[in-house]
Amino acid sequence: MSTATGFRWLVVPDEDAAEPSRDLVGGKAWSLWRMRSLGLRVPPAFVVTTAACEAYFADGGLPEGLADELITGIRLLEKQLGRTFGGTERPLLVSVRSGAAISMPGMMDTILDLGCNDEVEAALAAESGDRDFAAEVHRRFTGFYGRLVLGCTEELEDLPDTASVRAAISSDVGDAVPADPWEQLRAAVAAVFASSRSRRALAYRKHYGIPDDLGTAVTVQAMVFGNLDDDSGTGVLFTRNPVDGAREPYGEYLQRGQGEDVVSGRITPKPLTDLEERWPTVHAELLDAAEQLDREGRDAQDIEFTVQSGELFLLQSRPAKRTARAAVRIAVELVDEGVLEPEEALSRVTAEQIRTLLRPEIAPGAADTADVLVTGVAASPGVATGVVVDTPEAAQANPGSILVRKSTSPDDVHGMIAAAAVVTEQGGATSHAAVVSRALDTPCVVGCGTDTVAGLVGRTVTVDATTGHVYAGALPTSAIDESDDEDLRRLTRWAESATPVRVGPDVAAPPIFDAETLAAEDLGEQLPDIPTGTKTVRGAVFCAPDGVRAALDAGVDAIVTAHRLPVLLAAIAHQRRTS
Amino acid sequence: MLDPNELTVHTLTLRQLGSAEQLAEINALPIADVEAALEKAVADGAVMAARGNYMITPAGREFLDEVYLRAFAGLRADPAVTDAMDSFETGVNKQVLSLTTDWQTIEVDGARVSNDHADADYDAKIVEKLGRVHEKTQKVLQPLAQQNPLVDRFLDRIGAALIRAEGGETDYVSGVRVDSVHTVWFQMHEHILRLTGRERPE
């Protein structure tokens, strides 16, 4: 592709081009090319290759001829969109992002809206009729550039306008954002290159044995705007429902919206039917693209799109986030559609997700008449019943009790490990109690208020950490059973044939190591040592992923557990990593 | 400064239950010194031994409160340290807790659910932000690190946890049973609270 256009440092990923080498253009640009080759419309882009990065380090600066090629590359984008870089009418803005063949930490984030200055802001305000939008574009760009290119470490996000961002940058690094868009572009490309050898990028490579000189490519892509006129807008689309996994597109659209408006929740978008009513042709094109991307990705996709003056642009497509319920449904459905083999479908569902699904809930109606003792913030979901204790020592002496504390600290962790649930008076969703409980998968309610828990000591209570209520007495619970649910039954069957480890309530073969018989203080902050020659392990600690890993590493061939699927999935994931 | 005996008892306030090796990993003393200190502390009633693991006793905590007054009087009177602690509590500490929460839970259709770590981009962004907070913390805690070298060791251990998390070992952000970012961060927080004689804010 680049030979045809005579570029030395650039590659243009378009539908007519041959597949570019990932090593040369990076993963991000490769996926842009992939979308183009499917006939999908993405904002036009070009890539500065890893070869230019290598030359940058060899020459101690941007290599000979790159500055001219950047101009040629930008001219291509201008031509396709009918806009001008740095123009006083219909200006072109671009994003600049890094892209290595292997994604690495410490590399530079994306710079958006590059090419903005005072004149461009005015041009953008005139074109969109929205001064605030133009000012916001300028403010955000100034912040991106200040942080990523000039190395400003001050928080710039919360500053109200461009002037204050400029002042903060100037006082922090004694430098300013250049007004010349071409200078901005050259400096941004150099900054991406330099970031591939930042301290953290180098530390990461050293640890993982990746060569020090592995460079990065730089993707320069046109920005498109969803708020230029009434025929513009922005939205997101899930190819399958993220809550229940049903195979139906699900999404939102915001007329005259910019990307962040939808993602940030600043404005409430409308359902996708809104787009269907306004623009049936664009809507049809979008659904068609969604179908292709779902098939191409062999997984549910989360697609960001923008309509600019009636023209649909796909910005990004990636595997969609989903609830545990949806993950199960989607994995099984993909097998039924013939997209995945059962073995691969098992990698789309994690042990943690199944644990989430099998978690008991308070039986329907049981809480209606129950006495609510205290209420706080639900920090780690689940339900537990037990006797209330107020010290970590008491929790260790009485495993399965409910530990209540004013707040927790590292001193309490051994008690939290032994407790069935944790309740605190102070702190929010990010407190120590919340973080540690989530890591332990222990139900936790935080922030119930001062002096609320002392009166509970010695009582039997039921903690519902899904709603944040603590009830008097023991409430009945209900849970999904693995064998009652068709999807879970099928996944379990597939998982059994994917691992030699035997898992279930009655698989024990001697010698057996039973963690439940250990003294509570031996189940401290590390896993118990499994005696050499053990064939079977039993105990809650061996049903969590880290316990399963330890059991497999010790050569155990059976794990006793009531819930089979989470243990099987953890075993399969560990096999995958270690084989 | 603390002598090896005092430092070893102090380390048991950062890790509730630990072996000599685990304590040495935190406080950087030679293992032989930690073992000798533990033996003495058990004889003095400051520490309890339980099958190769050690715990601090209430008497041990009282002993430390006396020790701190002597050992850290200069540090506690230093206004630069006070400013650093204020900045730590209101800034980077809050950021780490909130990033840890983002790591553990994701928003799906408006509700927060457990992060299944299927979205590598989402995870990478959080580790990236933690890396930036880690770098900033080194600057913020500079006044303490100058007077107490152990602060730097905590920061190095947090950096090591970050690298493992970057390599896909998801336990190393908030896991309880490993020296994860959150585990070591909390040890460090407890350590500097005790150094400066401050209460943990909630």
Side-chain angles (χ1 to χ4, degrees):
Chain A
M1 75 178 73
S2 51
T3 48
T5 46
F7 284 124
R8 182 172 175 202
W9 307 117
L10 258 51
V11 164
V12 180
D14 61 26
E15 61 266 43
D16 313 326
E19 178 174 351
S21 136
R22 263 174 189 270
D23 287 343
L24 202 59
V25 302
K28 173 75 197 169
W30 184 90
S31 61
L32 284 179
W33 167 82
R34 186 72 196 121
M35 279 163 93
R36 292 294 289 264
S37 67
L38 291 170
L40 304 173
R41 198 180 307 104
V42 298
F46 64 86
V47 193
V48 186
T49 63
T50 51
C53 181
E54 206 174 317
Y56 168 84
F57 286 111
D59 305 355
L62 293 184
E64 183 76 27
L66 177 55
D68 289 342
E69 290 196 7
L70 286 175
I71 295 173
T72 317
I74 290 283
R75 295 284 177 250
L76 284 174
L77 309 190
E78 289 177 336
K79 208 167 88 189
Q80 288 186 63
L81 290 171
R83 309 183 77 83
T84 312
F85 193 58
T88 49
E89 257 184 57
R90 291 177 53 79
L92 170 74
L93 298 179
V94 297
S95 64
V96 175
R97 60 167 59 87
S98 64
I102 308 172
S103 80
M104 269 183 306
M107 301 269 272
M108 197 173 91
D109 280 353
T110 305
I111 298 184
L112 298 177
D113 300 317
L114 185 133
C116 198
N117 57 29
D118 291 343
E119 290 76 24
V120 168
E121 180 189 334
L124 210 53
E127 185 188 3
S128 64
D130 185 346
R131 298 179 69 94
D132 289 351
F133 153 69
E136 176 61 7
V137 165
H138 197 180
R139 183 193 74 88
R140 287 181 58 229
F141 162 65
T142 309
F144 280 124
Y145 193 97
R147 191 162 58 84
L148 301 171
V149 181
L150 302 176
C152 173
T153 53
E154 291 299 312
E155 271 306 320
L156 302 170
E157 273 308 291
D158 309 328
L159 298 172
D161 52 33
T162 301
S164 55
V165 176
R166 280 174 172 165
I169 294 170
S170 164
S171 76
D172 188 34
V173 296
D175 206 342
V177 180
D180 175 10
W182 299 102
E183 195 184 329
Q184 293 171 8
L185 181 62
R186 288 190 299 269
V189 170
V192 174
F193 287 160
S195 77
S196 71
R197 297 202 186 174
S198 70
R199 204 165 54 78
R200 282 196 49 238
L202 291 178
Y204 177 86
R205 284 180 216 182
K206 185 164 170 242
H207 185 88
Y208 293 103
I210 300 165
D212 258 0
D213 57 4
L214 179 84
T216 178
V218 186
T219 302
V220 179
Q221 188 172 29
M223 301 284 303
V224 287
F225 295 107
N227 56 352
L228 285 184
D229 50 37
D230 283 350
D231 297 345
S232 303
T234 190
V236 293
L237 177 141
F238 292 90
T239 55
R240 297 160 194 251
N241 186 306
V243 177
D244 63 14
R247 185 138 176 44
E248 57 194 18
Y250 165 99
E252 292 175 325
Y253 179 73
L254 185 60
Q255 190 194 18
R256 273 190 168 271
Q258 250 314 83
E260 303 70 46
D261 296 341
V262 177
V263 180
S264 73
R266 202 164 59 93
I267 304 168
T268 308
K270 302 242 177 25
L272 218 49
T273 44
D274 188 61
L275 177 66
E276 190 173 13
E277 284 159 25
R278 287 175 202 282
W279 286 96
T281 49
V282 170
H283 182 258
E285 189 187 348
L286 177 67
L287 291 195
D288 187 48
E291 189 61 31
Q292 286 201 68
L293 289 165
D294 184 283
R295 251 202 320 270
E296 164 81 9
R298 302 169 66 245
D299 195 3
Q301 299 289 305
D302 164 358
I303 299 165
E304 288 176 34
F305 66 93
T306 286
V307 181
Q308 180 173 284
S309 305
E311 197 173 19
L312 173 71
F313 288 99
L314 300 163
L315 304 183
Q316 171 154 285
S317 176
R318 50 189 192 157
K321 291 177 193 158
R322 62 206 69 177
T323 63
R325 178 80 267 175
V328 166
R329 182 82 281 275
I330 289 167
V332 173
E333 174 112 357
L334 284 166
V335 172
D336 289 338
E337 289 170 13
V339 174
L340 296 182
E341 290 299 316
E343 179 98 12
E344 193 178 357
L346 293 169
S347 69
R348 301 290 175 81
V349 183
T350 63
E352 286 87 353
Q353 284 172 325
I354 303 298
R355 280 160 71 99
T356 304
L357 270 187
L358 300 177
R359 236 182 235 134
E361 292 177 341
I362 293 196
D368 299 350
T369 52
D371 186 8
V372 177
L373 299 173
V374 295
T375 297
V377 176
S380 174
V383 174
T385 298
V387 177
V388 175
V389 298
D390 61 352
T391 66
E393 291 71 28
Q396 269 207 306
N398 308 285
S401 48
I402 310 292
L403 176 63
V404 301
R405 299 290 280 161
K406 190 181 266 186
S407 63
T408 66
S409 78
D411 288 346
D412 300 299
V413 170
H414 62 296
M416 296 169 82
I417 288 171
V422 174
V423 180
T424 67
E425 289 186 356
Q426 301 172 345
T430 63
S431 62
H432 177 265
V435 170
V436 170
S437 297
R438 282 193 293 258
L440 292 169
D441 200 24
T442 297
C444 174
V445 176
V446 295
C448 295
T450 311
D451 302 328
T452 48
V453 296
L456 304 179
V457 177
R459 297 182 66 171
T460 295
V461 302
T462 298
V463 178
D464 182 354
T466 314
T467 59
H469 295 308
V470 179
Y471 298 100
L475 267 56
T477 59
S478 63
I480 296 177
D481 191 304
E482 282 175 314
S483 54
D484 290 348
D485 181 288
E486 178 60 15
D487 285 348
L488 292 176
R489 247 204 320 265
R490 293 175 69 193
L491 280 171
T492 307
R493 244 196 339 265
W494 298 335
E496 278 179 317
S497 47
T499 175
V501 184
R502 289 177 305 115
V503 169
D506 42 20
V507 294
I512 301 168
F513 175 68
D514 189 347
E516 300 299 326
T517 60
L518 296 175
E521 54 270 20
D522 287 342
L523 275 176
E525 290 172 37
Q526 53 259 315
L527 294 164
D529 286 325
I530 300 169
T532 313
T534 300
K535 287 269 179 257
T536 304
V537 291
R538 176 187 286 137
V541 71
F542 296 118
C543 299
D546 56 350
V548 173
R549 290 198 287 270
L552 293 186
D553 291 344
V556 163
D557 45 46
I559 301 175
V560 178
T561 173
H563 293 320
R564 298 159 66 209
L565 187 52
V567 175
L568 287 166
L569 287 173
I572 292 165
H574 188 55
Q575 279 165 210
R576 233 182 261 127
R577 264 192 303 268
T578 51
S579 59
Chain B
M1 291 313 303
L2 302 177
D3 68 31
N5 291 339
E6 294 162 345
L7 179 55
T8 299
V9 179
H10 165 76
T11 310
L12 279 169
T13 63
L14 314 179
R15 185 189 170 105
Q16 173 71 25
L17 186 77
S19 64
E21 287 82 7
Q22 288 164 338
L23 299 176
E25 167 67 20
I26 296 173
N27 65 22
L29 289 171
I31 289 194
D33 292 11
V34 173
E35 283 169 344
L38 285 168
E39 202 172 318
K40 181 181 179 314
V42 171
D44 295 347
V47 166
M48 278 188 305
R51 287 183 297 278
N53 281 316
Y54 296 85
M55 282 173 80
I56 190 168
T57 61
R61 289 180 186 274
E62 281 166 31
F63 158 76
L64 285 178
D65 289 340
E66 298 289 311
V67 168
Y68 295 151
L69 288 175
R70 174 188 52 76
F72 301 130
L75 186 142
R76 290 179 183 189
D78 181 346
V81 167
T82 308
D83 289 352
M85 281 303 284
D86 289 345
S87 163
F88 178 89
E89 296 290 4
T90 56
V92 287
N93 188 52
K94 282 201 162 65
Q95 287 167 347
V96 163
L97 289 176
S98 118
L99 286 167
T100 309
T101 299
D102 291 344
W103 175 263
Q104 293 175 320
T105 57
I106 54 167
E107 205 161 290
V108 174
D109 200 43
R112 289 205 83 84
V113 301
S114 292
N115 180 4
D116 60 4
H117 301 296
D119 183 346
D121 282 354
Y122 177 91
D123 283 1
K125 274 206 179 76
I126 292 171
V127 176
E128 178 72 29
K129 284 182 183 162
L130 279 167
R132 280 209 294 271
V133 173
H134 177 240
E135 277 175 32
K136 188 169 177 184
T137 308
Q138 298 177 11
K139 290 198 190 96
V140 170
L141 291 182
Q142 187 69 27
L144 276 97
Q146 272 169 349
Q147 303 197 42
N148 185 280
L150 208 48
V151 172
D152 269 338
R153 182 177 176 86
F154 282 111
L155 290 166
D156 288 347
R157 287 171 62 223
I158 292 164
L162 275 170
I163 284 184
R164 297 192 67 161
E166 285 162 351
E169 294 182 70
T170 51
D171 282 355
Y172 276 83
V173 174
S174 66
V176 174
R177 292 192 178 92
V178 294
D179 276 351
S180 64
V181 173
H182 182 257
T183 300
V184 182
W185 183 271
F186 243 87
Q187 284 173 359
M188 177 176 81
H189 193 180
E190 190 68 21
H191 175 69
I192 60 181
L193 284 169
R194 289 176 161 270
L195 245 56
T196 53
R198 294 163 71 122
E199 289 290 314
R200 182 181 295 278
E202 264 297 349

